[in-house]
């Protein structure tokens, strides 16, 4: 597959929510996201990695816009009680930086290159999510400009 | 945005790798994925959620094809040593089920519906990753058929 890295996108309107110590059994993700859907909260990314040893506690993260922060926190308080989860935290001083292009993730070097550019600029990665056309990282909001400029240069996107 | 759920896809060729207790500082993701790229290992999903409290240890997961299992394990052994990470585990008895359609993730109810269908069928979700056009879950391989049939029915995709 030919690789076409066609651009760098960023999104400043990011609220990162981490839910941790949740039971790892069927019905948990359903309860969390139905509760959010009932409040008509628009989601951007949903990410669950975790060690997945059955029976262990899991962590799960998602991102929404900042405007919903108050609603999201009240939903999370209810969900943590209902699930007997350890807790949740939110951060709104973060932003999303994405490398966009066809056939992104299957080429082993592309993701590594992106992470290398961020490392070279001493930018810590808080979350990672990939799709066929995009690799997205959540980083500190005050570093998003550095990240965008560095990625443009590294992937030769500065050319007119 | 009009929602068009156009299909259910599944992938049986999945090796799930979880790396845990890794340092949460710039350069770590670079080292992990450069090491994999050097071995020309094709990736499918990369997922890092985690609590992201600076300085804490992080977990990070990715999926590849099953053929690379031996190579992946030897790369992970080296990476764990180099990072002083707690360890890694792999599972190959899993598979990926995806709901595919335009405008998926922004509609709050779609993800919740998908998780609800899996919960109703007592299917545990090990990993979650979303993009604009797809919501993907890693589940036990022996439940993939049940998941695909249930999702087809629930989202009205059975119609000819
Ligand atoms: C943690 C959560 O994803 C759980 N495993 C579920 O299936 O709902
Ligand atoms: C854990 C890993 O993503 C680390 N935060 C990094 O930036 O490389």
């Amino acid at each position: 597959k030919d690789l076409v890295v066609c651009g760098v996108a960023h999104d400043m309107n990011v609220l990162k929510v981490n839910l941790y110590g949740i039971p790892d059994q069927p019905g948990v993700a359903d309860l969390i996201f139905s509760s959010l859907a009932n409040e008509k909260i628009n989601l951007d990314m949903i990410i669950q990695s975790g060690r997945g040893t059955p029976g262990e506690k899991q962590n799960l993260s998602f991102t929404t816009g900042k405007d919903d922060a108050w609603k999201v926190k009240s939903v999370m308080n209810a969900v943590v009680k209902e699930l007997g989860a350890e807790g949740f935290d939110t951060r709104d001083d973060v932003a999303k930086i994405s490398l966009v292009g066809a056939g992104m993730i299957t080429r082993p070097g592309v993701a590594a290159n992106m992470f290398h550019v961020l490392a070279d600029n001493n930018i810590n990665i808080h979350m990672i999510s990939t799709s066929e056309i995009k690799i997205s990282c959540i980083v500190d909001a005050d570093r998003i400009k550095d990240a965008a400029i560095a990625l443009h240069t590294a992937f030769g996107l500065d050319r007119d």
Side-chain angles (χ1 to χ4, degrees), chain A residues 72-119:
Chain A
V72 167
K73 285 177 188 165
S74 73
V75 170
M76 286 299 108
N77 275 321
V79 160
V80 163
K81 266 204 206 90
E82 199 163 343
L83 289 176
E86 282 166 34
F88 77 96
D89 55 43
T90 64
R91 273 185 72 177
D92 64 1
D93 58 346
V94 293
K96 184 170 77 169
I97 184 89
S98 306
L99 202 59
V100 186
M104 295 293 284
I105 184 66
T106 45
R107 305 268 297 227
V110 179
N113 276 350
M114 180 180 189
F115 303 147
H116 185 73
V117 169
L118 296 176

Short mmCIF file of all heavy atoms in Angstrom, two decimals, chain A residues 72-119:
data_model
loop_
_atom_site.label_atom_id
_atom_site.label_comp_id
_atom_site.label_asym_id
_atom_site.label_seq_id
_atom_site.Cartn_x
_atom_site.Cartn_y
_atom_site.Cartn_z
N VAL A 72 -20.42 15.61 32.32
CA VAL A 72 -19.63 14.37 32.33
C VAL A 72 -19.27 13.99 33.77
O VAL A 72 -19.40 12.84 34.18
CB VAL A 72 -18.35 14.54 31.48
CG1 VAL A 72 -17.36 13.40 31.73
CG2 VAL A 72 -18.69 14.64 30.00
N LYS A 73 -18.85 14.98 34.56
CA LYS A 73 -18.44 14.68 35.95
C LYS A 73 -19.60 14.15 36.76
O LYS A 73 -19.43 13.24 37.58
CB LYS A 73 -17.83 15.93 36.59
CG LYS A 73 -16.41 16.21 36.08
CD LYS A 73 -15.82 17.49 36.66
CE LYS A 73 -14.50 17.82 35.96
NZ LYS A 73 -14.03 19.18 36.20
N SER A 74 -20.81 14.70 36.56
CA SER A 74 -21.92 14.20 37.37
C SER A 74 -22.31 12.79 36.92
O SER A 74 -22.63 11.94 37.76
CB SER A 74 -23.10 15.17 37.36
OG SER A 74 -23.76 15.15 36.15
N VAL A 75 -22.20 12.50 35.62
CA VAL A 75 -22.47 11.13 35.15
C VAL A 75 -21.42 10.17 35.71
O VAL A 75 -21.74 9.08 36.20
CB VAL A 75 -22.48 11.07 33.60
CG1 VAL A 75 -22.52 9.62 33.11
CG2 VAL A 75 -23.63 11.85 33.01
N MET A 76 -20.14 10.60 35.70
CA MET A 76 -19.08 9.72 36.18
C MET A 76 -19.24 9.44 37.68
O MET A 76 -18.99 8.33 38.14
CB MET A 76 -17.70 10.34 35.91
CG MET A 76 -17.26 10.29 34.46
SD MET A 76 -17.12 8.61 33.81
CE MET A 76 -18.55 8.53 32.72
N ASN A 77 -19.65 10.44 38.45
CA ASN A 77 -19.86 10.21 39.88
C ASN A 77 -20.89 9.11 40.11
O ASN A 77 -20.69 8.21 40.92
CB ASN A 77 -20.33 11.52 40.57
CG ASN A 77 -19.15 12.39 40.96
OD1 ASN A 77 -18.12 11.89 41.39
ND2 ASN A 77 -19.30 13.70 40.79
N ALA A 78 -21.97 9.17 39.33
CA ALA A 78 -23.03 8.16 39.47
C ALA A 78 -22.53 6.79 39.04
O ALA A 78 -22.78 5.77 39.71
CB ALA A 78 -24.25 8.59 38.64
N VAL A 79 -21.78 6.77 37.93
CA VAL A 79 -21.29 5.49 37.38
C VAL A 79 -20.29 4.83 38.34
O VAL A 79 -20.33 3.62 38.58
CB VAL A 79 -20.65 5.74 35.98
CG1 VAL A 79 -19.72 4.62 35.58
CG2 VAL A 79 -21.72 5.97 34.93
N VAL A 80 -19.40 5.63 38.92
CA VAL A 80 -18.39 5.08 39.85
C VAL A 80 -19.09 4.44 41.04
O VAL A 80 -18.74 3.34 41.48
CB VAL A 80 -17.42 6.20 40.32
CG1 VAL A 80 -16.65 5.78 41.57
CG2 VAL A 80 -16.44 6.55 39.21
N LYS A 81 -20.15 5.11 41.54
CA LYS A 81 -20.92 4.53 42.67
C LYS A 81 -21.58 3.23 42.26
O LYS A 81 -21.48 2.21 42.93
CB LYS A 81 -22.00 5.54 43.12
CG LYS A 81 -21.53 6.44 44.26
CD LYS A 81 -22.70 7.01 45.09
CE LYS A 81 -22.24 8.32 45.73
NZ LYS A 81 -22.51 9.50 44.84
N GLU A 82 -22.24 3.27 41.11
CA GLU A 82 -23.01 2.09 40.68
C GLU A 82 -22.11 0.89 40.40
O GLU A 82 -22.46 -0.24 40.68
CB GLU A 82 -23.80 2.44 39.41
CG GLU A 82 -24.94 1.50 39.14
CD GLU A 82 -25.95 2.07 38.14
OE1 GLU A 82 -25.95 3.29 37.90
OE2 GLU A 82 -26.74 1.27 37.60
N LEU A 83 -20.91 1.15 39.88
CA LEU A 83 -19.99 0.05 39.53
C LEU A 83 -19.08 -0.35 40.70
O LEU A 83 -18.38 -1.36 40.62
CB LEU A 83 -19.10 0.47 38.35
CG LEU A 83 -19.74 0.61 36.99
CD1 LEU A 83 -18.71 1.13 35.98
CD2 LEU A 83 -20.30 -0.72 36.50
N GLY A 84 -19.03 0.50 41.74
CA GLY A 84 -18.05 0.25 42.80
C GLY A 84 -16.63 0.38 42.24
O GLY A 84 -15.71 -0.33 42.62
N ALA A 85 -16.48 1.31 41.29
CA ALA A 85 -15.15 1.53 40.67
C ALA A 85 -14.26 2.30 41.64
O ALA A 85 -14.73 2.89 42.61
CB ALA A 85 -15.32 2.33 39.38
N GLU A 86 -12.94 2.30 41.37
CA GLU A 86 -12.03 3.03 42.26
C GLU A 86 -12.18 4.54 42.12
O GLU A 86 -12.05 5.26 43.09
CB GLU A 86 -10.57 2.63 41.97
CG GLU A 86 -10.19 1.28 42.57
CD GLU A 86 -8.89 0.75 42.01
OE1 GLU A 86 -7.99 1.57 41.70
OE2 GLU A 86 -8.77 -0.48 41.83
N GLY A 87 -12.44 4.99 40.89
CA GLY A 87 -12.62 6.43 40.74
C GLY A 87 -12.45 6.89 39.30
O GLY A 87 -12.33 6.08 38.40
N PHE A 88 -12.41 8.21 39.12
CA PHE A 88 -12.17 8.75 37.78
C PHE A 88 -11.42 10.06 37.94
O PHE A 88 -11.46 10.67 39.00
CB PHE A 88 -13.49 8.95 37.02
CG PHE A 88 -14.29 10.15 37.44
CD1 PHE A 88 -14.20 11.35 36.74
CD2 PHE A 88 -15.12 10.08 38.55
CE1 PHE A 88 -14.95 12.46 37.13
CE2 PHE A 88 -15.86 11.19 38.95
CZ PHE A 88 -15.77 12.38 38.25
N ASP A 89 -10.71 10.45 36.89
CA ASP A 89 -10.13 11.79 36.87
C ASP A 89 -10.33 12.42 35.50
O ASP A 89 -10.55 11.72 34.52
CB ASP A 89 -8.64 11.79 37.29
CG ASP A 89 -7.76 10.86 36.47
OD1 ASP A 89 -7.92 10.82 35.23
OD2 ASP A 89 -6.93 10.14 37.06
N THR A 90 -10.30 13.72 35.47
CA THR A 90 -10.47 14.44 34.19
C THR A 90 -9.33 15.44 34.04
O THR A 90 -8.77 15.90 35.03
CB THR A 90 -11.80 15.22 34.15
OG1 THR A 90 -11.76 16.22 35.18
CG2 THR A 90 -13.00 14.32 34.36
N ARG A 91 -9.01 15.72 32.79
CA ARG A 91 -8.00 16.76 32.52
C ARG A 91 -8.46 17.56 31.33
O ARG A 91 -8.85 16.98 30.29
CB ARG A 91 -6.64 16.14 32.20
CG ARG A 91 -5.81 15.86 33.42
CD ARG A 91 -4.42 15.36 33.05
NE ARG A 91 -3.59 16.43 32.52
CZ ARG A 91 -2.30 16.23 32.17
NH1 ARG A 91 -1.75 15.05 32.32
NH2 ARG A 91 -1.58 17.23 31.68
N ASP A 92 -8.42 18.91 31.44
CA ASP A 92 -8.82 19.70 30.28
C ASP A 92 -7.64 20.54 29.76
O ASP A 92 -7.80 21.35 28.86
CB ASP A 92 -10.01 20.59 30.61
CG ASP A 92 -9.67 21.62 31.67
OD1 ASP A 92 -8.50 21.64 32.13
OD2 ASP A 92 -10.56 22.40 32.04
N ASP A 93 -6.46 20.29 30.32
CA ASP A 93 -5.27 21.02 29.82
C ASP A 93 -4.53 20.18 28.78
O ASP A 93 -3.31 20.22 28.69
CB ASP A 93 -4.35 21.37 31.00
CG ASP A 93 -3.92 20.11 31.76
OD1 ASP A 93 -4.53 19.03 31.56
OD2 ASP A 93 -2.97 20.20 32.58
N VAL A 94 -5.32 19.41 28.02
CA VAL A 94 -4.72 18.55 26.99
C VAL A 94 -5.34 18.85 25.63
O VAL A 94 -6.36 19.55 25.54
CB VAL A 94 -4.93 17.05 27.32
CG1 VAL A 94 -4.16 16.64 28.56
CG2 VAL A 94 -6.41 16.73 27.46
N ALA A 95 -4.69 18.33 24.57
CA ALA A 95 -5.19 18.54 23.22
C ALA A 95 -4.82 17.33 22.38
O ALA A 95 -3.99 16.51 22.79
CB ALA A 95 -4.58 19.81 22.61
N LYS A 96 -5.47 17.19 21.23
CA LYS A 96 -5.22 16.03 20.37
C LYS A 96 -4.45 16.45 19.13
O LYS A 96 -4.79 17.43 18.48
CB LYS A 96 -6.57 15.41 19.94
CG LYS A 96 -6.42 14.14 19.13
CD LYS A 96 -7.75 13.42 18.92
CE LYS A 96 -8.59 14.07 17.86
NZ LYS A 96 -9.75 13.21 17.46
N ILE A 97 -3.41 15.67 18.81
CA ILE A 97 -2.63 15.90 17.58
C ILE A 97 -2.73 14.64 16.74
O ILE A 97 -2.54 13.52 17.26
CB ILE A 97 -1.17 16.27 17.90
CG1 ILE A 97 -0.38 16.61 16.64
CG2 ILE A 97 -0.43 15.22 18.70
CD1 ILE A 97 -0.44 18.05 16.26
N SER A 98 -3.06 14.76 15.45
CA SER A 98 -3.26 13.57 14.62
C SER A 98 -2.47 13.69 13.33
O SER A 98 -2.40 14.76 12.73
CB SER A 98 -4.73 13.42 14.25
OG SER A 98 -5.55 13.42 15.39
N LEU A 99 -1.92 12.57 12.93
CA LEU A 99 -1.27 12.45 11.62
C LEU A 99 -2.30 11.76 10.74
O LEU A 99 -2.83 10.72 11.11
CB LEU A 99 -0.03 11.58 11.79
CG LEU A 99 1.09 11.67 10.77
CD1 LEU A 99 1.64 13.09 10.69
CD2 LEU A 99 2.20 10.69 11.14
N VAL A 100 -2.61 12.35 9.60
CA VAL A 100 -3.70 11.85 8.77
C VAL A 100 -3.15 11.38 7.42
O VAL A 100 -2.30 12.04 6.82
CB VAL A 100 -4.75 12.95 8.52
CG1 VAL A 100 -5.95 12.40 7.78
CG2 VAL A 100 -5.18 13.59 9.83
N GLY A 101 -3.60 10.19 6.97
CA GLY A 101 -3.15 9.71 5.66
C GLY A 101 -3.68 8.32 5.41
O GLY A 101 -4.12 7.64 6.32
N ALA A 102 -3.61 7.87 4.17
CA ALA A 102 -4.12 6.54 3.82
C ALA A 102 -3.10 5.49 4.20
O ALA A 102 -1.90 5.71 4.10
CB ALA A 102 -4.40 6.48 2.32
N GLY A 103 -3.57 4.34 4.68
CA GLY A 103 -2.68 3.22 4.96
C GLY A 103 -1.71 3.50 6.09
O GLY A 103 -0.63 2.95 6.15
N MET A 104 -2.11 4.34 7.02
CA MET A 104 -1.19 4.79 8.07
C MET A 104 -0.65 3.67 8.93
O MET A 104 0.53 3.47 9.07
CB MET A 104 -1.94 5.73 9.01
CG MET A 104 -2.40 7.00 8.40
SD MET A 104 -1.02 8.01 7.97
CE MET A 104 -0.58 8.57 9.60
N ILE A 105 -1.56 3.00 9.59
CA ILE A 105 -1.14 2.18 10.70
C ILE A 105 -0.42 0.93 10.25
O ILE A 105 0.43 0.40 10.93
CB ILE A 105 -2.34 1.90 11.63
CG1 ILE A 105 -1.89 1.12 12.86
CG2 ILE A 105 -3.47 1.19 10.95
CD1 ILE A 105 -0.98 1.93 13.75
N THR A 106 -0.73 0.43 9.06
CA THR A 106 -0.12 -0.83 8.67
C THR A 106 1.37 -0.67 8.38
O THR A 106 2.11 -1.62 8.46
CB THR A 106 -0.79 -1.40 7.43
OG1 THR A 106 -0.94 -0.33 6.50
CG2 THR A 106 -2.15 -1.97 7.74
N ARG A 107 1.81 0.53 8.05
CA ARG A 107 3.24 0.73 7.79
C ARG A 107 3.94 0.89 9.13
O ARG A 107 3.78 1.89 9.80
CB ARG A 107 3.45 1.98 6.96
CG ARG A 107 2.67 1.97 5.69
CD ARG A 107 3.43 1.41 4.58
NE ARG A 107 4.58 2.24 4.30
CZ ARG A 107 4.93 2.63 3.08
NH1 ARG A 107 4.17 2.25 2.08
NH2 ARG A 107 5.98 3.33 2.89
N PRO A 108 4.77 -0.07 9.54
CA PRO A 108 5.32 -0.08 10.89
C PRO A 108 6.08 1.19 11.25
O PRO A 108 6.04 1.67 12.36
CB PRO A 108 6.28 -1.26 10.88
CG PRO A 108 5.94 -2.08 9.72
CD PRO A 108 5.25 -1.21 8.74
N GLY A 109 6.71 1.80 10.30
CA GLY A 109 7.56 2.94 10.64
C GLY A 109 6.82 4.23 10.89
O GLY A 109 7.32 5.11 11.58
N VAL A 110 5.59 4.37 10.39
CA VAL A 110 4.90 5.66 10.47
C VAL A 110 4.60 6.02 11.93
O VAL A 110 4.90 7.11 12.39
CB VAL A 110 3.59 5.65 9.66
CG1 VAL A 110 2.89 7.00 9.78
CG2 VAL A 110 3.86 5.31 8.22
N ALA A 111 4.01 5.10 12.65
CA ALA A 111 3.69 5.38 14.06
C ALA A 111 4.98 5.65 14.83
O ALA A 111 5.07 6.61 15.60
CB ALA A 111 2.94 4.20 14.66
N ALA A 112 5.98 4.81 14.59
CA ALA A 112 7.26 5.00 15.29
C ALA A 112 7.84 6.38 15.00
O ALA A 112 8.32 7.06 15.90
CB ALA A 112 8.23 3.90 14.88
N ASN A 113 7.75 6.81 13.72
CA ASN A 113 8.25 8.15 13.36
C ASN A 113 7.52 9.25 14.11
O ASN A 113 8.13 10.20 14.60
CB ASN A 113 8.09 8.39 11.85
CG ASN A 113 9.24 7.80 11.06
OD1 ASN A 113 10.23 7.37 11.65
ND2 ASN A 113 9.09 7.75 9.75
N MET A 114 6.21 9.14 14.15
CA MET A 114 5.43 10.16 14.85
C MET A 114 5.85 10.22 16.33
O MET A 114 6.06 11.31 16.89
CB MET A 114 3.93 9.86 14.74
CG MET A 114 3.07 10.88 15.44
SD MET A 114 1.30 10.49 15.28
CE MET A 114 0.56 11.98 15.95
N PHE A 115 5.95 9.07 16.98
CA PHE A 115 6.33 9.05 18.39
C PHE A 115 7.76 9.57 18.58
O PHE A 115 8.07 10.21 19.59
CB PHE A 115 6.20 7.63 18.96
CG PHE A 115 4.84 7.03 18.83
CD1 PHE A 115 4.67 5.66 18.65
CD2 PHE A 115 3.70 7.81 18.90
CE1 PHE A 115 3.41 5.09 18.53
CE2 PHE A 115 2.42 7.26 18.77
CZ PHE A 115 2.28 5.89 18.58
N HIS A 116 8.61 9.30 17.58
CA HIS A 116 10.00 9.75 17.65
C HIS A 116 10.08 11.28 17.60
O HIS A 116 10.83 11.90 18.36
CB HIS A 116 10.80 9.13 16.50
CG HIS A 116 12.26 9.45 16.58
ND1 HIS A 116 13.10 8.87 17.51
CD2 HIS A 116 13.02 10.31 15.87
CE1 HIS A 116 14.31 9.35 17.35
NE2 HIS A 116 14.31 10.24 16.38
N VAL A 117 9.26 11.87 16.72
CA VAL A 117 9.24 13.34 16.60
C VAL A 117 8.77 13.96 17.91
O VAL A 117 9.34 14.93 18.42
CB VAL A 117 8.32 13.78 15.43
CG1 VAL A 117 8.07 15.27 15.44
CG2 VAL A 117 8.91 13.33 14.09
N LEU A 118 7.74 13.38 18.51
CA LEU A 118 7.24 13.94 19.78
C LEU A 118 8.29 13.78 20.88
O LEU A 118 8.52 14.69 21.68
CB LEU A 118 5.92 13.25 20.16
CG LEU A 118 4.75 13.49 19.19
CD1 LEU A 118 3.51 12.68 19.62
CD2 LEU A 118 4.39 14.97 19.09
N ALA A 119 8.98 12.63 20.87
CA ALA A 119 10.02 12.39 21.89
C ALA A 119 11.16 13.38 21.73
O ALA A 119 11.64 13.96 22.72
CB ALA A 119 10.54 10.96 21.77
#
